[in-house]
Amino acid sequence: MSRADGEADCVCSVGMKFTWDINDPKLPQDIKQFDPFQEWTDGYVRFIYNGEDKNAQRHLSGWAMRNTNNHNCQILKKSCLGVVVCSRGCTLSDGSRLQLRPAICDKARQKQQKKPCPSCNASLELLPCRGHSGYPVTNFWRVDGTAIFFQAKGVHDHPRPESKSETEARRSSVKRRVSSPFTQKRQCLGPALLSCVEAPDRLSFIAESNFPLQSQHYPSFQSTEPYYNSHNALGEAPPTLQKSTNPRLYMPRPGCGYEFPGYLASGTYSAPLHRDPAANHSSDLCDPRVAPVLGSSSSSSSSYDPQSTKGWRDLLKNAAPYGENHYYTPEYPCRYPSNTPGSPAALQTIITTTTKVSYQPCPKPPTALPGYQSCPPAKPQLGCSSLPEDSSSSYSTEVKVTEESGGVIKSLSFQPDPLHTKTERAESFDYRCPYGNTFRYDEY
DNA sequence: TCATGCGGGTGGA
DNA sequence: TCCACCCGCATGA
């Protein structure tokens, strides 16, 4: 946290130090240093993980990512499913919300959505991810040599769901409770706890501060990589808790990436993160801080239809001198749910890159590689051991489920992001254009 | 039961 | 050709 002052040209990850794309026929080989595993990647980021990293081998993500067939056996592609929320957006007494992790399995997800909101019995709604030019955020995994290359494209425009580890922990907790003789006497432990609900196994209990206030935490970068902490560098305190009456308007904070010069420039992302649809956001949506690259992009971005690929490509071509096929856009997703009246769904501000790199249809990866098919079973390394040193900056809601005997049998900390409670942001990045040239963002 | 990965296939751009 | 997405299947926890 305290580093990076004056390190304006730093990059935030090992993966960002190199100029590569997941589709490159040849990936960087001389990897001497690996990135620590990032559970909550967000933005157009790249990481290079150690091939022995169990989490990387399992292609773990905090987001609910499902496998997407890209007809490339070398590159595993996953797309984000979004988050399941209450269709009413009900708010609990403490302002917390339900943000369930969508089931990865299609059938399970359909089943999941048929369940009522455990809080208000309203229907559940899947808030799809459209953070990548109107499409779900995609993650790419590729094993090459001893490294596992990770590339993410898109910025999640929805709250974080319950993490996989939390889901698993809760499930095991529920199982234990179900098998417990005290199952019938669950206790409600405080106003925010929803243990007295019908479907506790599907309950994600996330404080309101969860999404907007989450911030990526890259503890290892502090010691291994130059890394810029925009907040600290600017002497800013972490974003304060913001209350909102609508849980479904989110201006997500980008991850450690090079995709948000606007955010990078602003030094903080706290202001536009969580919005009330009733309010007039036009100015915020077109906030020049979000789109400094294009300068007067407000009009462009505000009229931009994220579904119109041609539109944003043209926009980018005009705006970004980065190459024929390298698009750089201030478009950034601030999604209005479809059922929000008058929702300007098209108002997005995304900075996205599209690389057009041809790659040869690959033969099967050599068996020597830590291949995708043979991931050794391992317990997810949740990184909980590396909790932020400043616990005061994390907003957590601890849920303790107790047996009647009074013994705590399970303590689930629905901490939005135990690893990422501090805001850190790369102030510099480089990215390889499809044609081999590189541009950098050093000044943000 | 569900997560995960693979692969065939379709449709749009 | 690329991409998103659907589907079924297999495997393992």
Side-chain angles (χ1 to χ4, degrees), chain A residues 3 73 150 185 196 220 225 229 272 300 341 376 393 403 410 419:
Chain A
R3 69 180 295 119
C73 59
F150 172 86
K185 293 193 177 183
C196 296
S220 299
E225 295 297 326
N229 181 339
S300 303
S393 64
E403 298 284 2
K410 186 65 185 179
L419 292 179

Side-chain angles (χ1 to χ4, degrees), chain A residues 322-326 354-357 431-437:
Chain A
Y322 297 132
E324 190 70 19
N325 292 320
H326 201 120
T354 297
T355 54
K356 294 189 178 299
V357 179
Y431 194 79
R432 191 182 66 78
C433 291
Y435 299 127
N437 47 331

Side-chain angles (χ1 to χ4, degrees), chain A residues 5 56 80 89 99 108 113 115-116 129 142 144 151 170 184 193 227 250 254-256 291 295 304 346 357 410 415 441:
Chain A
D5 321 42
C80 181
Q99 292 165 194
Q113 292 180 68
K115 291 183 179 178
C129 178
R142 180 171 165 187
D144 192 69
Q151 184 171 5
R170 186 164 38 75
Q184 302 303 320
L193 179 61
Y227 192 75
Y250 301 96
C256 166
Y304 164 66
V357 179
K410 186 65 185 179
Q415 196 167 334
Y441 258 90

Side-chain angles (χ1 to χ4, degrees), chain A residues 149-221:
Chain A
F149 292 80
F150 172 86
Q151 184 171 5
K153 295 180 179 179
V155 181
H156 297 275
D157 61 341
H158 53 86
R160 288 182 187 181
E162 185 184 40
S163 74
K164 186 186 171 190
S165 54
E166 288 167 346
T167 304
E168 290 174 346
R170 186 164 38 75
R171 280 179 184 164
S172 63
S173 163
V174 169
K175 278 185 181 177
R176 288 167 62 180
R177 273 185 286 149
V178 166
S179 60
S180 161
F182 305 104
T183 301
Q184 302 303 320
K185 293 193 177 183
R186 294 179 204 152
Q187 299 178 17
C188 292
L189 299 175
L193 179 61
L194 293 180
S195 60
C196 296
V197 295
E198 296 176 15
D201 62 323
R202 278 296 171 188
L203 171 62
S204 172
F205 187 69
I206 302 179
E208 170 131 34
S209 57
N210 171 19
F211 184 70
L213 299 182
Q214 287 165 344
S215 51
Q216 298 272 12
H217 189 224
Y218 302 91
S220 299
F221 290 149

